[in-house]
Amino acid sequence: MRDITDRALDTAASQGASYADVRVVRRLEESIAVKSGRLEGVSSSESEGFGVRVLVDGAWGFSSSNWLTPAEADRVAAEATRIARASATALRNRVALDSRPPALGHYETPLDIDPFTVPFETKIAELLAADEEANRVKGIVYTETTYGAQREWKTFAASDGSFTEQVITHVGAGIESNAASGDEQQRRSYPDAGGGWQAAGYEYIRGLDLKGSAGVRAEEAVALLTAPLCQPGRRTIILDPSQLYLQVHESCGHPTELDRVFGTEASYAGTSFMTTDLLESGFRYGSDLITIVADATAPGGMGTFGWDDEGVAAQAVPLVQNGIFVGYLSSRETAPRIGRQSGGAMRADGWNRIPLIRMTNINLQPVPGMSLDEIVADTDDGLYLASNRSWSIDDRRLNFQFATEVAYEIKGGKKGQLLRNPTYTGITYEFWRSCDAVGDERSYVMLGTPNCGKGEPSQTGHVGHAVPGARFTNVQVGVGNG
Amino acid sequence: MSVDIDPRRRLALAEKVLLAAEQAGATEAEVLVLADDSALTRFANSEIHQNVAETSATVNLRFVVGKRVAVVTTGRTDNDGLVALVEQAASIARVVEELEDWGGLPEPQPITEAEGGWSEATASASPESRAEGVRAVIAAADEAGSVAYGSYSTGAETIAIANSKGIRAVQRQTSAQLLTVSMAPNGGTGYAEAVSVDVDRIDPAAIGREAAEKARATQNPVAVEAGEWPVVLEEYAVVDIVDMLGYLGFSALAVQEERSFYEPGRRIGSDLVTMVDDPNDPNGLPMAFDFEGVPKERVSLIDHGLCGEVVYDAQTAARAGRQSTGHGLPAPNPYGPFPLHMVMSPGTSSREDLIGGLDRGLLVTRFHYTNPVHPKLCVITGMTRDGTFLVEDGKIVGPVRNLRYTMSYLDALAGISAVSAQRKTLKGFLGGVVVPAVRIDGWSFTGTTEH
């Protein structure tokens, strides 16, 4: 790779770039989909290319290509500098990067079983077996059992002498069972909607035991068809990790992205209510029980790496400490504007996209005391909500509304009656301030999503969320069910 | 531009891979080549902050042995990459389970070239020309005392398909999009967007003025209560309704999986609602054939409020015992066929007529972060954004804070009481859509926020 990276950096410098970096990325992906007992699709894809990012006259330019030749490296680097000069014609503040030592080294996702060496027929057989269990349940109209794996070989080089190589592997699998009757349609997923994903090898897939859990979830999907509606009202709710991770994602992860705070996503996904004056004033984001950390070193998380895509080493950055807003996800460009060093959150979706501030692993820290089961036992009257069905939040990340696949009525510390079409809504900081119980280490699990969207052109990010489950009081539920 | 988007050479590449697949033992094979040269200039805080370009080509091979189907994609188009592609596809196809209801690859049909899908101006757009357009948007914002955010993109793409049944299809297309959010002091925000095959038909200054004017008009919004409100939805909001209907209801796969609201002849809208998927609409982004090489048909989705047809790809058509309508996406495609060119028929009302028909209601510019709450009932939740106004006695009174809604889009269609004569071409989930503004008698707002 050195021939490509050196050539691109040399050309960028000769064209006037004050800073340049180049990423060469090869991505291998495979996926399997089984639907209602039949193999629906098996696919494999390979993508390889490089992107060159430059600063000229204080303005950014980026170009990319999937032709890995020295001549193309020259062309792309020159095009990036031309684009940067065009950017400079509409520039009001020159870009300044924080300083950091050159990044050097190698990182690789630790794993036991390489998913790309497990034969397709083995993986297919395991998915079909799980799918069959779900389809045994009377009333199921279709099932979908999926598997996916992604590996990236990423070389990063920068004009400051940085040179890193990383091999990052993510795997995921899940099963969805769908029941329908008339206008009603219900779904139950395992391990959660969209499947379970981790930075790991095939041992993670085996550990999910899809087959062992498929039947129970399918029976719940059928039972939900005739379950009572979740009625509107203000209730105490307990969020299972399968829903809590998305609550963290939408209402803490995204609003603490510092680029969003500075308006650079305003025309697409919006801005953030978590403005820098709130950081300075020690804004109370949640109750004392809420501590949230962006930890790019967490084992198994899809936001775990050696260095981000600017060559900043992986680190753990506190975002909320005992309920107080204390930090942001940041980059080399944005962090200096608040007098800090980059927290290492710049990540790009492949060779043909620029790095943006993305979530790493945004983790709600466990609180010693009660497991999730013990929180249920401690709840006299409430709802237990699990597995996301729908999500929406406003363009400053204040008003959110989620639907989950299922709610269980809690009476006298015990989960009982299933409730259909549950939803809950609130204002972000009011909701987190209402948290009166967070699960301990025994309930702490690493989850995540491979489908976090951001940016123009669009980018899809893989992010992790370790959460233990938590309880919230006086929450509006049952929106639209009145 | 360096990418080879020459149609003949892209088709020749597809044929080369097809031959290799057949020699490797495929009983059926399909090769889809996508070559793309695109760029996007992004601006925020009235300056360009991101500015990117991409040159790429991918080869997608569907390799079939009997009823065993494998799909392999590569971005490596050198000889070694293509050899590896075929070897990988052949090895997967040998070991996978049979697809019991595999209907076979589609047969060739005559393809009529889509007119108006290509613009040399768009294909040759430069970073300097995009920057010039951005400066015009920023100047309009400066003039109005607001701050500009947005993006200006241009792209050219060639799609070439060869399959073992004899399909040989190639087309090239361009598209350009300029969108901007303008932010004024005291909470004012406005939005405007233009989409066209031809970048020269986009007037950046006009787009900038539209957004900036609205930003100025939305300063100091006041709170209103959630509840049932009559509304006028501008085109930027209507696009979400059209898209969701296509996604949730008018795909044959959604019907086959019993997750669609669709029933032939079912009334789901007022008489004023007529919607087609028309790949040749001159206002849209024309396309001759789908990603399986099947000519795209014009499909009537809703006719004066009644459900018409749904769209098919080859596999869903085979299951239904009929022909594909030319709505296939690249394989593998778990989402099923999709209407990429939805067009809603115009009405007769002016914008003033629409607003004038509200005794007390809300004018909504656009929606934000919408998501299905109950797919089969088409219940969607989302927020208003970038310009929401109170209307009384047919006149705009002033701006209001944003609201959350939780609403069946089928109920929305049923409540449409007026449709504008003018329409806009906008980007939808996956394709270009042509939509009017509408007045709806009842809209369920279920929450409020702080801005």
Side-chain angles (χ1 to χ4, degrees), chain A residues 56 67 69 72 334 402 410 465:
Chain A
V56 179
W67 295 89
T69 65
E72 185 71 348
T334 56
F402 292 97
I410 300 173
H465 298 287

Side-chain angles (χ1 to χ4, degrees), chain B residues 192-215:
Chain B
E193 176 188 348
V195 172
S196 178
V197 167
D198 182 358
V199 71
D200 285 346
R201 294 179 61 184
I202 292 177
D203 181 346
I207 293 297
R209 283 193 298 271
E210 180 186 337
E213 280 302 314
K214 187 162 281 183

Side-chain angles (χ1 to χ4, degrees), chain A residues 92 184 266 392 394 399 429, chain B residues 47 369 374 385 404 449-450:
Chain A
R92 298 191 175 181
E184 195 54 78
S392 175
D394 76 33
N399 178 307
Y429 60 84
Chain B
E47 64 177 355
Y369 217 140
H374 195 298
R385 186 179 167 184
R404 170 168 298 286
T449 190
E450 298 180 357

Side-chain angles (χ1 to χ4, degrees), chain A residues 35 39 43-44 46 82 87 89-90 92-93 182 184 250 262 265-266 268 352 392 394-395 399 429, chain B residues 42 45 47-48 51 54 71 73 75 99 128 135 142 257 369 371 374 376 385 404 448-451:
Chain A
K35 272 195 173 182
L39 183 65
S43 68
S44 169
E46 181 180 12
R82 176 185 171 186
S87 301
T89 67
R92 298 191 175 181
N93 298 284
E184 195 54 78
E250 299 289 359
F262 288 144
E265 294 293 324
Y268 182 60
N352 56 352
S392 175
D394 76 33
D395 60 313
N399 178 307
Y429 60 84
Chain B
R42 207 168 183 211
N45 302 304
E47 64 177 355
I48 293 173
N51 206 347
E54 174 186 356
V71 180
T73 305
L99 184 57
E128 291 80 11
R135 290 197 300 272
D142 286 346
E257 292 181 341
Y369 217 140
N371 213 323
H374 195 298
K376 196 163 186 177
R385 186 179 167 184
R404 170 168 298 286
T448 59
T449 190
E450 298 180 357
H451 62 287

Side-chain angles (χ1 to χ4, degrees), chain A residues 190-236:
Chain A
Y190 177 81
D192 66 74
W197 283 80
Q198 281 202 1
Y202 199 74
E203 68 280 0
Y204 171 71
I205 304 298
R206 294 250 163 84
L208 288 175
D209 186 20
L210 294 181
K211 183 179 177 183
S213 302
V216 173
R217 295 292 168 95
E219 286 167 4
E220 279 193 345
V222 175
L224 280 168
L225 290 175
T226 53
L229 267 178
C230 175
Q231 292 298 323
R234 298 198 79 88
R235 302 289 299 269
T236 292

Side-chain angles (χ1 to χ4, degrees), chain B residues 121-202:
Chain B
T122 306
S124 61
S126 67
E128 291 80 11
S129 65
R130 284 187 298 276
E132 183 182 356
V134 169
R135 290 197 300 272
V137 175
I138 292 170
D142 286 346
E143 178 77 17
S146 59
V147 181
Y149 305 77
S151 64
Y152 198 3
S153 61
T154 54
E157 183 179 51
T158 296
I159 303 168
I161 301 170
N163 84 6
S164 55
K165 297 282 185 69
I167 284 179
R168 299 290 184 274
V170 63
Q171 62 189 332
R172 55 182 195 161
Q173 56 195 34
T174 57
S175 69
Q177 181 187 35
L178 173 62
L179 62 87
T180 184
V181 168
S182 194
M183 292 194 186
N186 304 311
T189 64
Y191 180 80
E193 176 188 348
V195 172
S196 178
V197 167
D198 182 358
V199 71
D200 285 346
R201 294 179 61 184
I202 292 177

Side-chain angles (χ1 to χ4, degrees), chain A residues 35 38-40 42-46 48 60-67 72 75 82-83 86-87 89-93 120-121 124 128 141-142 182-185 250 262-270 351-354 356 389-401 421 429 455-457 479, chain B residues 2 40 42 44-57 70-77 88 92 95-97 99 101 126-128 131 135 138 142 149-151 179 181 183 253 257-259 319 332 334 368-369 371-377 381-383 385 404 406 446-451:
Chain A
K35 272 195 173 182
R38 64 170 184 262
L39 183 65
E40 186 79 3
V42 178
S43 68
S44 169
S45 70
E46 181 180 12
E48 188 174 35
W60 284 118
F62 175 85
S63 184
S64 60
S65 172
N66 68 341
W67 295 89
E72 185 71 348
R75 186 195 70 79
R82 176 185 171 186
I83 289 172
S87 301
T89 67
L91 189 70
R92 298 191 175 181
N93 298 284
F120 270 108
E121 51 265 54
I124 292 167
L128 283 169
V141 293
Y142 77 99
D183 280 340
E184 195 54 78
Q185 180 204 353
E250 299 289 359
F262 288 144
T264 60
E265 294 293 324
S267 63
Y268 182 60
W351 54 267
N352 56 352
R353 295 289 183 268
I354 55 169
L356 301 172
R389 192 178 186 191
S390 152
W391 62 99
S392 175
I393 191 163
D394 76 33
D395 60 313
R396 291 184 63 207
R397 300 272 151 181
L398 280 163
N399 178 307
F400 65 81
Q401 181 169 309
N421 299 339
Y429 60 84
E456 299 171 287
V479 183
Chain B
S2 77
L40 185 145
R42 207 168 183 211
N45 302 304
S46 291
E47 64 177 355
I48 293 173
H49 68 302
Q50 294 168 8
N51 206 347
V52 303
E54 174 186 356
T55 296
S56 69
V71 180
V72 178
T73 305
T74 187
R76 293 175 57 201
T77 54
Q88 172 78 339
I92 294 173
V95 300
V96 299
E97 299 285 320
L99 184 57
D101 57 357
S126 67
E128 291 80 11
R135 290 197 300 272
I138 292 170
D142 286 346
Y149 305 77
S151 64
L179 62 87
V181 168
M183 292 194 186
L253 186 64
E257 292 181 341
E258 299 185 46
R259 53 184 166 84
R319 284 176 189 151
H368 172 80
Y369 217 140
N371 213 323
V373 176
H374 195 298
K376 196 163 186 177
L377 297 174
T381 191
M383 295 292 302
R385 186 179 167 184
R404 170 168 298 286
T406 307
T446 54
T448 59
T449 190
E450 298 180 357
H451 62 287

